[in-house]
Amino acid sequence: LLFSPLRCLFLLLMFSSLARPFPKKGRMQHNKSEYLQHFYGYQPKAERQKRTADPDGDADWTTGLCDKVQTMQRFFGLPPTGELTKDTLAVMKRPRCGLSDVERFGETIRWKKTTLSYRLEMIRHWHPDTSKVNRTFRAAWKLWSSVAPLKFRKRNRREADIVISFHNGDHKDGSPFDGQGGILAHAFLPGSGIGGDVHFDADEDWSFNSTGFNLFAVAAHEFGHALGLPHSSDPGAIMYPAYSFAPNYELQLSFRDVKDVQHLYGDPNFPSLVLKKPPPRTPDKCDPDLSFDAATELQQEVLFFKDRFMWRKHPQFEETGITLISSLWPDTVPSHLDAVYENVGRNVLTFFKGHQYWELRQLKMEEGFPRNISDLGFPSRIQSVDAALHFRNDRYTVYDEQQKMMDGSAMLTEQQWPGIPAPIDAAVFFEECYTYHFNNMLFLT
Ligand SMILES: *[C@@H]1O[C@H](CO)[C@@H](O)[C@H](O)[C@H]1NC(C)=O
Ligand SMILES: *[C@@H]1O[C@H](CO)[C@@H](O)[C@H](O)[C@H]1NC(C)=O
Ligand SMILES: *[C@@H]1O[C@H](CO)[C@@H](O)[C@H](O)[C@H]1NC(C)=O
Ligand SMILES: *[C@@H]1O[C@H](CO)[C@@H](O)[C@H](O)[C@H]1NC(C)=O
Ligand SMILES: [Ca+2]
Ligand SMILES: [Ca+2]
Ligand SMILES: [Zn+2]
Ligand SMILES: [Zn+2]
């Protein structure tokens, strides 16, 4: 259905044209073949022929590649076209964890004891405040020990189950680091020796706040691997492989993380209900109570926004993938948006939140944003923008971009669309979950 050999042949050509001399930074992120090999188990032709002497090697290679691109796209909630679209390449370039996204470790790989020791190796390349580092790691372990029957004890000298260290480049474990950006860290599954150990890329600009990469956020994720957890495709999970840290967002385990760690270490006697507050669930697009923050068309797709997340509905594909807003666009695009809209003529996507707006062209933030919506010629009584720009509470206004003017008379929505409940959060065309509730045109409140 979705696979077209021609399209994949084209993909092949793109591959060769993308070949560049070895970039120093984030090597794997610049080599698509290597990215798919490393994170999605893709085996290029040469290696496969060695193994199977496949007479139909070329076609097989192309198919294999397309498959892996699709798997990757599904994982990150992109339309599974199998093509290396701009979006796909953008997601591939995002900083992330060094472990594979497709390996499943199974239930058997876990520690057989419940008190684990960890040790921090001397940090040679970086001279931070060690008390801050120690506090950061303690807090990251606490995330996990507060939802599962596990205890973590720090050791200063003696052997420990989990050794935490910083390395740059090739550090002799078969998974070299790649300089700034790209891969941030990796960890080993529970076991003896190197098992359970956690390595951070010493070339990154680590921080305790939102400059560079936040050590706490990455440690919380890697410690999950050290306990035996694989990557999760739930973008709300700490075990999601892409780095996402927002300064205003309290880092916590999601419902999925808690479920997964309790599945590994669950003890029927452990009262999982004592959690002080329930872990946050990633919004489910089919939840009848869900209301979107915003929605917009983007070329052929319809995009829906909620908190830090977005869904992408592509007309060619039945599934609607969920992803993080930050996995596609720069961190400067805020979460909890008020409205988003596409200006097809100017090829610009505009995001609204409060009295500010941002403009993106070709996935890149334009200079000088955010700006005040008063710059758009909005009358001062407009403090923020709801829904598809044209809606504000029970009124809608028409914004004329040519004139930078609002149609002066805000009209009551009900006059235009009788029976539409107000206020409107997002006005969109969406049919996947709701066909039997509504006709195709859906207005969410
Ligand atoms: C990408 O990686 C593959 C496999 O490691 C290698 O054969 C190829 O030369 C690399 N391409 C570039 C442009 O670095
Ligand atoms: C932090 O941990 C390291 C390594 O275990 C230790 O050498 C250092 O003294 C600790 N720092 C503080 C302030 O406790
Ligand atoms: C973050 O911490 C660094 C020092 O680790 C400091 O220089 C910087 O100003 C801080 N940034 C913010 C936004 O707090
Ligand atoms: C931006 O707009 C808001 C409301 O529209 C107004 O209160 C605020 O003073 C404006 N800020 C600037 C810097 O113009
Ligand atoms: Ca790196
Ligand atoms: Ca170990
Ligand atoms: Zn990981
Ligand atoms: Zn390593």
Side-chain angles (χ1 to χ4, degrees), residues 23-96:
K24 280 200 194 78
K25 293 183 175 184
R27 186 172 56 100
M28 192 123 18
Q29 262 71 3
H30 288 93
N31 185 330
K32 316 310 171 260
S33 165
E34 211 171 313
Y35 184 98
L36 294 169
Q37 276 179 59
H38 189 89
F39 299 115
Y40 288 88
Y42 165 65
Q43 296 182 346
K45 181 181 165 189
E47 276 179 41
R48 279 213 258 185
Q49 278 191 333
K50 258 184 256 156
R51 268 173 232 181
T52 54
D54 182 358
D56 201 17
D58 268 353
D60 190 44
W61 183 47
T62 338
T63 318
L65 189 66
C66 245
D67 274 1
K68 297 301 179 195
V69 174
Q70 281 182 340
T71 308
M72 180 256 167
Q73 287 169 326
R74 286 210 175 86
F75 194 97
F76 284 103
L78 299 164
T81 59
E83 290 170 88
L84 289 172
T85 56
K86 270 204 193 70
D87 295 356
T88 309
L89 295 175
V91 171
M92 280 182 173
K93 284 195 185 127
R94 302 292 295 175
R96 57 162 293 151

Side-chain angles (χ1 to χ4, degrees), residues 69 99 323 390 429:
V69 174
L99 266 67
T323 194
H390 305 297
F429 183 83

